[in-house]
Amino acid sequence: MLFSALCLRAQEGGVEVDYNRPQKYIVGGVSVEGNHYFSSNQIISLTGLEKGMEVTVPSEELSNIVKRLYLQRYFEDVSLNIGSLSPGRDSVYLVIKIMERPRVSRWTFSGVKSGEQKDLQDWLNLRRGGEFSEYVEKTSVDLIKRFFAEKGFLNCAVKTEVQKDTIIRNAIRVNFAVERGEKVKVREINFIGNDNVREYKLARSMKKTKSNKWYNFFNSKKFDAKEYPNDKKTLLSAFNEAGYRDARIVKDSIYYLEPGRLGIDIIVEEGEKYYFRDISWTGNSVFTTDALNSVLGIKKGDVYDIVSMEKRLYGGGKQNEMDISKLYRDNGYLFFNVTPVETNIQNDSVDVEIRISEGKQATLNNIVINGNDLTNEKVVRRQIFTRPGYLFRQSDFERSIREIASLGQFDAEAIMGEGGYSIIPNQINNTVDIVYNVTEKPSSELQLSGGWGGRTFVATAGVSFNNFSTHRMFEKGAWRPVPLGDAQTLSFHFQTNGSYYTAINGSFVEPWLFGKKPTSLNLSAYYTRQTASNRGGYYNYFYNYTVDRILEIYGFASSLGTRLKWPDNYFVLYNGFSWQTYKLTNWYQGYFFFQDGLSHNLSYQMTLARNSTDQMIYPREGSDFSLNVQLTPPYSLFRKFTYDAAGNKVAVNSWRDVDYDATDGSGKMLWSSGDRYRWIEYWKVKGSFANYTKLLGDFVLMTRVQFGYLGYYNRSWGYSPFEGFLVGGDGMSGYSTYGNDIIPLRGYPNYSLTPTAVTAYNANGTAYAGNVYDKFTVEFRYPVIMQTSSQIFVLAFLEGGNCWADIRNFNPFQIKRSAGVGARIFLPMIGLLGIDWGYGFDNPDRGQRSQFHFIIGQQF
């Protein structure tokens, strides 16, 4: 290679080159030999040689041409030759001889998983037809080793295997044979010299380097050499947080305790502990010094905690905590800057001067939305709080991110992570552009399933279009399969097990009814029919019914929801009406208080809700509150008649004189179920509050309190036969039904915590009578996979609750306890699925204390 780079060879014996006496020639022409992949013109253009130009033979210029071609790494050998001279020997004809490197017809990997092969292809950016050189080989091997090192395989070995392709000329096949070896994990981390800062605090400060101590149970123990230097910096932050500003790492060593297991020794020098003395502010004109000190929250004599001071200056603390930067940015001062300076250090005391450059207020200019390939831009714009012409406010920007994440049409993890948004300030004209980079995800759901419940097989078919668009219904080409893009919800579901059970329901939700204000419209209609025949069949086999039994429920509901401005704009108020009809024929199984009759339920509902969670599927922060009041007209308070033993109406002076439980001489009820319950009456209150707290990283604590009470207007008329609570189990009956609220409580069989009451209108003699309940849940959650295609998290829970037949017996501390573990998986086309195992501590039947629960489309 060296020879070809420095010498010019003569192709014909008649041409002699005297290296001591260089000659000048005019280039008569340039040709190329040996090229297959590159054209002659491509190669000649790299040399800079042109016909008619003057060259010196030999010369440094021609040697550099050879070097330049070789450095392209496309050729194994390059030489520049004299083909011939002109008759007058003043022109030279040059020949570039090359040997091209073989091209790779196929790149393969052995010793790796199938999923890792695609990741490696993307990681290495290898393409078919590319050249193969020592540089490509070395670079690829280094990248493969780094790829597996980040997974904890520090001893990964890679061997390159090259084979000639027998089909394609001048082509090879390259295989990287990978031996990952054993994953290298950290077993122990020893801190030496930490006399005043606990080992636990130091260990928790290292975010990516973890030992196998019990408190790191949910953390990976793999050793990441790339992250280790950063962890050493955060380790020093733990000392700084305790006041040791001069702390330093004297020495650290990494060694093998055994194959695949590392030990790390870190020797530290704490130094002296320091305290704040005088804190002064300069440059502040918008806010007073007292106001800034109130937000900073540091007093003279406090430990010199640099970490907490920086959080209170720049942010990075808890979600709802105010800091100096946010205080200014919430008032439009985007170009604000703050710098703490140590002005004096005396003994163990530090004086700090906090210097502020407020700048001018920034106005929002362009608000750009990228990535909404399916969802209409107006859907996103109406959710965000950043609008052109408004002053920039940090809280409005953060709220906008949260609203986009909660829409359900986009990947929540992507919009909240790096690359999900961009803030582009322009200090020249005091404006700022904001770019929201959304990532569409499948939001519609198709349900085709079969399940076993209530001693029967139930088939379910349903579809839910969660991004429906009525605006595009008449648009050509929009029905693929349905018009989408406006974030409306249209759903239909059908369930049946054949002759016994059939259910049909449909619903429609328009989140922005009038387009300009967040007023939602909710419509739903449903029909359910359950039958049991005395002519044989599955249910007659189990229960031996002697007559046909029929339960039919049909109804309609509508509501309007409006976002409120007070107490804050997280609150939403829903108002709605619903109508239901219950038709029972010989339905004496014990679900309801009567078995024959027709009942109507006309009710008004009002719900006050507030949801400030950061996303729908796996909330990490925020709360979810709802208070629901549902009531019917008090029909019995307008009734001034009763019945005598002959069934005739008898007038009375007041509704208080009506005895609905009166009987004749034979014990027969004077009021039939059809007369008493034709129009049911009640008032019902339900409340729920859930709070999500991020503990460590993505480890989340969820706490929830629930309460419900079904009240009455008239004690003589009693509790409503419908709209009660069925408590216990997984919250799934095996088939949908109406007339009761099903309240899950894991660790107990379905409905097992629901009391019963005596009734004279049911041949069974008793019926469910759950009229008041409470429930308390503590859940620890940890994500396993958080991707657009699927989201999986595991959980452990503590739960307690109970149900009573009468409010006078209610005791919030008389709860049935349970504990267990579970997992949830969210698939865009299916929805939320899960499984829980719970142990009910207070189940009197010890054989039934261990329970498995399967969950579809709900959270506890």
Coordinates of all heavy atoms in Angstrom, one line a residue, residues 252-297:
D252 N -12.1 4.6 44.2 CA -13.2 3.6 44.0 C -12.5 2.4 43.2 O -11.7 2.6 42.4 CB -14.4 4.1 43.3 CG -14.2 4.5 41.9 OD1 -13.4 5.5 41.7 OD2 -14.7 3.8 41.0
S253 N -13.0 1.2 43.6 CA -12.4 0.0 42.9 C -13.6 -1.0 42.6 O -14.5 -1.1 43.4 CB -11.4 -0.6 43.7 OG -11.9 -1.0 45.0
I254 N -13.5 -1.6 41.4 CA -14.4 -2.6 41.0 C -13.7 -3.9 40.8 O -12.7 -4.0 40.2 CB -15.1 -2.2 39.7 CG1 -15.7 -0.8 39.9 CG2 -16.2 -3.2 39.3 CD1 -16.2 -0.2 38.6
Y255 N -14.3 -5.0 41.4 CA -13.6 -6.3 41.3 C -14.6 -7.4 41.3 O -15.8 -7.2 41.7 CB -12.7 -6.4 42.6 CG -13.3 -6.2 43.9 CD1 -14.0 -7.2 44.6 CD2 -13.4 -4.9 44.4 CE1 -14.6 -7.0 45.8 CE2 -14.0 -4.6 45.6 CZ -14.6 -5.7 46.3 OH -15.2 -5.4 47.5
Y256 N -14.2 -8.6 40.9 CA -15.1 -9.7 40.8 C -15.0 -10.5 42.2 O -14.0 -10.8 42.6 CB -14.7 -10.7 39.7 CG -15.2 -10.2 38.3 CD1 -14.3 -9.5 37.5 CD2 -16.4 -10.5 37.9 CE1 -14.8 -9.1 36.2 CE2 -16.9 -10.2 36.7 CZ -16.1 -9.4 35.8 OH -16.6 -9.0 34.6
L257 N -16.2 -10.7 42.7 CA -16.3 -11.6 43.9 C -16.3 -13.0 43.5 O -15.8 -13.9 44.2 CB -17.6 -11.2 44.7 CG -17.6 -9.8 45.3 CD1 -19.0 -9.5 45.8 CD2 -16.6 -9.7 46.4
E258 N -17.0 -13.3 42.3 CA -17.0 -14.6 41.7 C -17.4 -14.3 40.2 O -17.8 -13.2 39.9 CB -18.0 -15.5 42.4 CG -19.4 -15.0 42.4 CD -20.4 -15.9 43.1 OE1 -20.2 -16.1 44.4 OE2 -21.3 -16.4 42.5
P259 N -17.3 -15.3 39.4 CA -17.7 -15.0 38.0 C -19.1 -14.5 37.9 O -20.1 -15.0 38.4 CB -17.6 -16.4 37.3 CG -16.6 -17.1 38.1 CD -16.8 -16.6 39.6
G260 N -19.3 -13.3 37.2 CA -20.6 -12.7 37.0 C -21.1 -11.8 38.2 O -22.2 -11.3 38.1
R261 N -20.3 -11.7 39.3 CA -20.8 -10.9 40.4 C -19.7 -10.0 40.8 O -18.5 -10.4 41.1 CB -21.1 -11.9 41.6 CG -22.3 -12.8 41.3 CD -23.6 -12.0 41.1 NE -24.7 -12.8 40.7 CZ -25.1 -13.1 39.5 NH1 -24.4 -12.6 38.5 NH2 -26.2 -13.8 39.3
L262 N -20.0 -8.7 40.9 CA -19.1 -7.6 41.2 C -19.2 -7.1 42.6 O -20.3 -7.1 43.2 CB -19.3 -6.5 40.2 CG -19.0 -6.6 38.8 CD1 -19.3 -5.4 38.0 CD2 -17.5 -7.0 38.6
G263 N -18.1 -6.6 43.1 CA -18.1 -5.9 44.3 C -17.5 -4.5 44.0 O -16.6 -4.4 43.2
I264 N -18.0 -3.5 44.7 CA -17.6 -2.1 44.5 C -17.2 -1.5 45.8 O -18.0 -1.5 46.8 CB -18.6 -1.3 43.8 CG1 -19.0 -1.9 42.4 CG2 -18.1 0.2 43.6 CD1 -20.1 -1.1 41.7
D265 N -16.0 -1.0 46.0 CA -15.6 -0.3 47.2 C -15.4 1.2 46.8 O -14.7 1.6 45.8 CB -14.2 -0.8 47.7 CG -14.4 -2.2 48.3 OD1 -15.5 -2.6 48.6 OD2 -13.3 -2.9 48.4
I266 N -16.1 2.1 47.6 CA -16.0 3.5 47.3 C -15.5 4.2 48.6 O -16.2 4.1 49.6 CB -17.3 4.1 46.9 CG1 -17.8 3.4 45.6 CG2 -17.2 5.6 46.7 CD1 -19.2 3.9 45.1
I267 N -14.3 4.8 48.6 CA -13.8 5.5 49.7 C -14.1 6.9 49.6 O -13.7 7.6 48.6 CB -12.2 5.2 49.8 CG1 -12.0 3.7 49.9 CG2 -11.7 6.0 51.0 CD1 -10.5 3.4 49.9
V268 N -14.7 7.5 50.6 CA -15.1 8.9 50.5 C -14.5 9.7 51.7 O -14.1 9.1 52.7 CB -16.7 9.1 50.6 CG1 -17.3 8.4 49.4 CG2 -17.2 8.5 51.9
E269 N -14.4 11.0 51.5 CA -14.0 11.9 52.5 C -15.0 13.0 52.7 O -15.3 13.7 51.8 CB -12.6 12.6 52.1 CG -12.0 13.4 53.2 CD -10.7 14.1 52.7 OE1 -9.7 13.3 52.7 OE2 -10.7 15.3 52.4
E270 N -15.7 12.9 53.8 CA -16.9 13.8 54.0 C -16.5 15.3 54.1 O -17.2 16.1 53.6 CB -17.7 13.4 55.3 CG -18.3 12.0 55.1 CD -19.1 11.7 56.4 OE1 -18.7 12.2 57.5 OE2 -20.1 10.9 56.3
G271 N -15.5 15.6 54.8 CA -15.2 17.0 55.1 C -16.0 17.5 56.2 O -16.7 16.8 57.0
E272 N -16.1 18.9 56.3 CA -16.8 19.5 57.4 C -18.3 19.7 57.0 O -18.6 19.8 55.8 CB -16.2 20.9 57.8 CG -14.8 20.8 58.3 CD -14.7 20.0 59.6 OE1 -15.7 20.2 60.4 OE2 -13.7 19.3 59.9
K273 N -19.1 19.8 58.0 CA -20.6 20.1 57.8 C -20.8 21.6 57.8 O -20.3 22.3 58.8 CB -21.4 19.4 58.8 CG -22.9 19.4 58.5 CD -23.7 18.5 59.5 CE -25.2 18.5 59.1 NZ -25.9 17.6 60.0
Y274 N -21.5 22.1 56.9 CA -21.8 23.6 56.8 C -23.2 23.9 57.0 O -24.1 23.1 56.8 CB -21.3 24.1 55.4 CG -19.8 24.0 55.2 CD1 -19.2 22.9 54.8 CD2 -19.0 25.2 55.5 CE1 -17.8 22.8 54.6 CE2 -17.6 25.1 55.3 CZ -17.0 24.0 54.9 OH -15.7 23.9 54.7
Y275 N -23.5 25.2 57.3 CA -24.8 25.7 57.6 C -25.0 27.0 56.8 O -24.0 27.8 56.6 CB -25.0 25.9 59.1 CG -24.9 24.6 59.9 CD1 -23.6 24.2 60.4 CD2 -26.0 23.8 60.1 CE1 -23.5 23.1 61.1 CE2 -25.8 22.7 60.9 CZ -24.6 22.3 61.3 OH -24.4 21.1 62.0
F276 N -26.2 27.3 56.5 CA -26.6 28.6 55.9 C -26.4 29.7 57.0 O -26.8 29.5 58.1 CB -28.0 28.6 55.4 CG -28.2 27.9 54.1 CD1 -28.7 26.6 54.0 CD2 -27.8 28.5 52.9 CE1 -28.9 26.0 52.8 CE2 -28.0 27.9 51.7 CZ -28.5 26.6 51.6
R277 N -25.9 30.9 56.5 CA -25.9 32.0 57.4 C -26.8 33.1 56.8 O -28.0 33.1 57.0 CB -24.5 32.5 57.7 CG -24.4 33.5 58.8 CD -22.9 33.8 59.2 NE -22.1 34.4 58.2 CZ -20.8 34.7 58.4 NH1 -20.2 34.5 59.5 NH2 -20.1 35.2 57.3
D278 N -26.2 34.0 56.0 CA -27.0 35.1 55.4 C -27.3 34.8 54.0 O -26.5 34.4 53.2 CB -26.2 36.4 55.5 CG -26.0 36.9 56.9 OD1 -26.8 36.6 57.8 OD2 -24.9 37.5 57.2
I279 N -28.6 35.0 53.6 CA -29.1 34.8 52.3 C -29.6 36.1 51.8 O -30.5 36.7 52.4 CB -30.2 33.7 52.2 CG1 -29.7 32.4 52.7 CG2 -30.7 33.6 50.8 CD1 -30.7 31.3 52.8
S280 N -29.1 36.6 50.7 CA -29.5 37.9 50.1 C -29.9 37.7 48.6 O -29.5 36.7 48.0 CB -28.4 38.9 50.2 OG -27.2 38.5 49.5
W281 N -30.7 38.6 48.1 CA -31.2 38.6 46.8 C -30.8 39.9 46.0 O -30.9 41.0 46.6 CB -32.7 38.4 46.7 CG -33.2 37.2 47.4 CD1 -33.4 37.0 48.7 CD2 -33.6 36.0 46.8 NE1 -33.9 35.7 49.0 CE2 -34.1 35.1 47.8 CE3 -33.7 35.6 45.4 CZ2 -34.5 33.8 47.5 CZ3 -34.2 34.3 45.2 CH2 -34.6 33.4 46.2
T282 N -30.4 39.8 44.8 CA -30.2 40.9 44.0 C -30.9 40.8 42.6 O -31.0 39.6 42.1 CB -28.7 41.2 43.7 OG1 -28.1 40.0 43.0 CG2 -27.9 41.3 45.0
G283 N -31.3 41.9 42.1 CA -31.9 41.9 40.7 C -33.4 41.6 40.7 O -34.0 41.6 39.6
N284 N -34.0 41.4 41.8 CA -35.5 41.1 41.9 C -36.3 42.4 42.0 O -36.1 43.2 42.9 CB -35.8 40.1 43.0 CG -35.4 40.7 44.4 OD1 -34.2 41.0 44.6 ND2 -36.3 40.8 45.3
S285 N -37.2 42.6 41.0 CA -38.1 43.7 41.0 C -39.5 43.3 41.0 O -40.4 44.1 41.4 CB -37.7 44.7 39.9 OG -37.9 44.0 38.6
V286 N -39.8 42.2 40.4 CA -41.2 41.7 40.3 C -41.7 41.1 41.6 O -42.9 41.4 42.0 CB -41.3 40.6 39.2 CG1 -42.7 40.1 39.1 CG2 -40.8 41.1 37.9
F287 N -40.9 40.4 42.3 CA -41.3 39.8 43.6 C -40.4 40.4 44.7 O -39.2 40.6 44.5 CB -41.2 38.3 43.6 CG -42.1 37.6 42.5 CD1 -41.6 37.2 41.3 CD2 -43.5 37.5 42.8 CE1 -42.5 36.6 40.4 CE2 -44.3 36.9 41.9 CZ -43.8 36.5 40.6
T288 N -41.0 40.5 45.9 CA -40.2 41.1 47.0 C -39.3 40.0 47.6 O -39.5 38.8 47.3 CB -41.2 41.5 48.1 OG1 -41.9 40.4 48.6 CG2 -42.2 42.6 47.6
T289 N -38.3 40.4 48.3 CA -37.4 39.5 48.9 C -38.1 38.6 49.9 O -37.8 37.4 49.9 CB -36.3 40.3 49.7 OG1 -35.6 41.1 48.7 CG2 -35.3 39.3 50.4
D290 N -39.1 39.1 50.6 CA -39.9 38.2 51.5 C -40.6 37.1 50.8 O -40.7 36.0 51.2 CB -40.8 39.1 52.4 CG -40.1 40.0 53.4 OD1 -39.0 39.6 53.7 OD2 -40.7 40.9 53.8
A291 N -41.2 37.5 49.6 CA -41.9 36.5 48.8 C -41.0 35.4 48.3 O -41.3 34.2 48.3 CB -42.7 37.2 47.7
L292 N -39.8 35.8 47.9 CA -38.8 34.8 47.4 C -38.3 34.0 48.5 O -38.1 32.8 48.3 CB -37.7 35.6 46.7 CG -38.1 36.4 45.4 CD1 -36.8 37.1 44.9 CD2 -38.6 35.5 44.3
N293 N -38.1 34.5 49.7 CA -37.6 33.7 50.8 C -38.7 32.7 51.2 O -38.4 31.6 51.7 CB -37.3 34.6 52.0 CG -35.9 35.3 51.8 OD1 -35.0 34.6 51.3 ND2 -35.7 36.5 52.3
S294 N -40.0 33.1 51.1 CA -41.0 32.2 51.4 C -41.0 31.0 50.5 O -41.3 29.9 51.0 CB -42.4 32.9 51.4 OG -43.5 32.1 51.6
V295 N -40.8 31.2 49.2 CA -40.7 30.1 48.3 C -39.5 29.2 48.5 O -39.5 28.0 48.5 CB -40.8 30.6 46.8 CG1 -40.6 29.4 45.9 CG2 -42.2 31.3 46.6
L296 N -38.4 29.9 48.8 CA -37.1 29.2 49.0 C -37.1 28.4 50.2 O -36.6 27.2 50.2 CB -36.0 30.2 49.1 CG -34.5 29.7 49.1 CD1 -34.2 28.9 47.8 CD2 -33.5 30.8 49.4
G297 N -37.7 28.8 51.3 CA -37.9 28.0 52.5 C -36.7 27.7 53.2 O -36.6 26.6 53.8

